[in-house]
Amino acid sequence: EALGRKAVELGVDRFHETTARDLVVADTGEVTGLVATGATGARVVFSGQVVLACGGYEGNAEMMARYHGDRGMTCRPVARGGNYNKGEGIQMAIAAGAATAGNFSLFHAEPVDPRSGDPEAAIMAFTYGVLVNVEGRRFVDEARGPVDAWYERTTRDIQAQPRGMAWMVLDVSGLAIPNLKTAIRTEEKPVRGDSIASLAQAIDVDPGVLADTIEAYNAACPDGEWDPTRPDGLATSGVTPPKSNWARPISQGPFVAYPVMAANVFTFGGLKVDASSRVVDQDGRIIPGLYAAGEITGLYYSNYTGSTSVLRGATFGKIAGAHAATRTV
């Protein structure tokens, strides 16, 4: 918002309801402009340097299916704005010979409540309870370490389950953890049950299977000091999968459950750029006149490093703009 206001002050032209469609490429290979369609569908041509900063492709069902297969259907953009990230910038740059970078088979995954329409309705408290799939079975070590370091990998484990979802189950002691709401950011209420059997019925899970799962987990929990403020090493013994920290029995009703699914924060695959944010072609040459910044660039390959996505956009957006502004056509 601050940058937008400053742009207006500086007299920058803004075109709403205008969608970029193609790059204008000269015979020399230089990008000299952009073809777009306006609000009426009429063709509009812009001339000059082009900075692509239009996000990834999480809002494009065809591209999600192409790169992610069936799992493209068991996630959604983390916020409504992601539905407008259609991948046009990636497609037009590739058509102009751009090289790609990043892992096109992965996206930055965040665990969210599928019932909520709020942006980032994150469910991050599973380290203090258990995760069960729709069959009522545990399938992952819920507490391999601090949630900030492990939530993405755990979310991918959730996505791999039947229907791409799981339930986080807590008991009353888990709900009493100070500041727990900071780790449960959905406005939707949890599903409640006075017993494990009644909770299972409420979440449409086989009561016998869920009861066996919780009983096996509880029996594997050790005695010892439980500390929700740090990885405490309180680990299960004799149950598969294990739980490496915060293993405390789920035995005090009432019990609650939150549904959890994978949200697509942004896609990992994108365009290859150099240190000046200039797009590189498949032979390693700079494509003159073409820049890219933000989520459209391919930076990540296996796991997202916290707090780096906005930093990437701010840093390379500034670099791209500054370099483009000093270049003459």
Side-chain angles (χ1 to χ4, degrees), residues 25 30 34 61 65 172 181 183 190 239 241 326:
V25 184
E30 179 178 4
L34 187 74
V172 70
K181 196 60 182 176
V239 69
T326 60

Side-chain angles (χ1 to χ4, degrees), residues 50-142:
V50 176
V51 181
L52 296 171
C54 45
Y57 56 86
E58 60 266 34
N60 185 324
E62 187 274 333
M63 290 183 73
M64 285 298 298
R66 187 194 317 172
Y67 295 119
H68 303 276
D70 291 345
R71 292 189 183 183
M73 294 297 293
T74 54
C75 67
R76 69 170 196 211
V78 75
R80 291 187 182 96
N83 290 301
Y84 298 98
N85 286 359
K86 303 292 188 182
E88 303 104 319
I90 295 173
Q91 291 174 328
M92 68 179 74
I94 290 175
T100 58
N103 188 342
F104 275 80
S105 67
L106 288 181
F107 57 86
H108 175 28
E110 186 171 292
V112 300
D113 183 343
R115 303 169 299 172
S116 175
D118 283 359
E120 292 198 272
I123 305 291
M124 298 279 197
F126 46 78
T127 48
Y128 303 127
V130 295
L131 285 168
V132 298
N133 59 23
V134 295
E135 297 170 347
R137 296 180 172 87
R138 290 182 63 239
F139 55 90
V140 69
D141 183 341
E142 299 92 344

Side-chain angles (χ1 to χ4, degrees), residues 21-38:
R21 299 296 183 191
D22 292 294
L23 296 171
V24 178
V25 184
D27 291 341
T28 60
E30 179 178 4
V31 172
T32 60
L34 187 74
V35 178
T37 52

Side-chain angles (χ1 to χ4, degrees), residues 19-294:
T19 303
R21 299 296 183 191
D22 292 294
L23 296 171
V24 178
V25 184
D27 291 341
T28 60
E30 179 178 4
V31 172
T32 60
L34 187 74
V35 178
T37 52
T40 64
R43 186 173 180 267
V44 183
V45 179
F46 299 92
S47 298
Q49 319 296 313
V50 176
V51 181
L52 296 171
C54 45
Y57 56 86
E58 60 266 34
N60 185 324
E62 187 274 333
M63 290 183 73
M64 285 298 298
R66 187 194 317 172
Y67 295 119
H68 303 276
D70 291 345
R71 292 189 183 183
M73 294 297 293
T74 54
C75 67
R76 69 170 196 211
V78 75
R80 291 187 182 96
N83 290 301
Y84 298 98
N85 286 359
K86 303 292 188 182
E88 303 104 319
I90 295 173
Q91 291 174 328
M92 68 179 74
I94 290 175
T100 58
N103 188 342
F104 275 80
S105 67
L106 288 181
F107 57 86
H108 175 28
E110 186 171 292
V112 300
D113 183 343
R115 303 169 299 172
S116 175
D118 283 359
E120 292 198 272
I123 305 291
M124 298 279 197
F126 46 78
T127 48
Y128 303 127
V130 295
L131 285 168
V132 298
N133 59 23
V134 295
E135 297 170 347
R137 296 180 172 87
R138 290 182 63 239
F139 55 90
V140 69
D141 183 341
E142 299 92 344
R144 288 170 277 189
V147 70
D148 283 350
W150 283 95
Y151 75 85
E152 180 169 56
R153 282 165 281 192
T154 301
T155 304
R156 294 200 182 115
D157 292 326
I158 291 170
Q159 192 189 26
Q161 297 305 300
R163 291 167 47 192
M165 69 167 289
W167 290 93
M168 178 186 74
V169 179
L170 298 170
D171 70 357
V172 70
S173 63
L175 290 172
I177 295 170
N179 300 316
L180 184 70
K181 196 60 182 176
T182 61
I184 303 176
R185 302 171 196 163
T186 176
E187 84 287 4
E188 299 289 339
K189 301 296 184 183
V191 181
R192 295 182 177 271
D194 292 330
S195 65
I196 291 297
S198 62
L199 181 69
Q201 291 178 335
I203 63 175
D204 196 25
V205 168
D206 187 299
V209 173
L210 184 60
D212 289 346
T213 295
I214 298 299
E215 181 180 355
Y217 166 77
N218 288 348
C221 292
D223 295 327
E225 182 181 355
W226 188 85
D227 186 350
T229 67
R230 60 174 178 81
D232 58 6
L234 205 62
T236 57
S237 176
V239 69
T240 301
K243 186 177 181 183
S244 299
N245 293 280
W246 301 296
R248 186 169 64 170
I250 297 175
S251 57
Q252 303 176 49
F255 304 92
V256 302
Y258 284 89
V260 191
M261 69 172 291
N264 189 337
V265 184
F266 58 83
T267 44
F268 279 4
L271 303 177
K272 186 174 183 179
V273 297
D274 71 355
S276 296
S277 222
R278 297 175 295 181
V279 176
V280 177
D281 73 12
Q282 295 190 40
D283 295 315
R285 294 185 294 259
I286 301 302
I287 299 178
L290 184 63
Y291 302 80

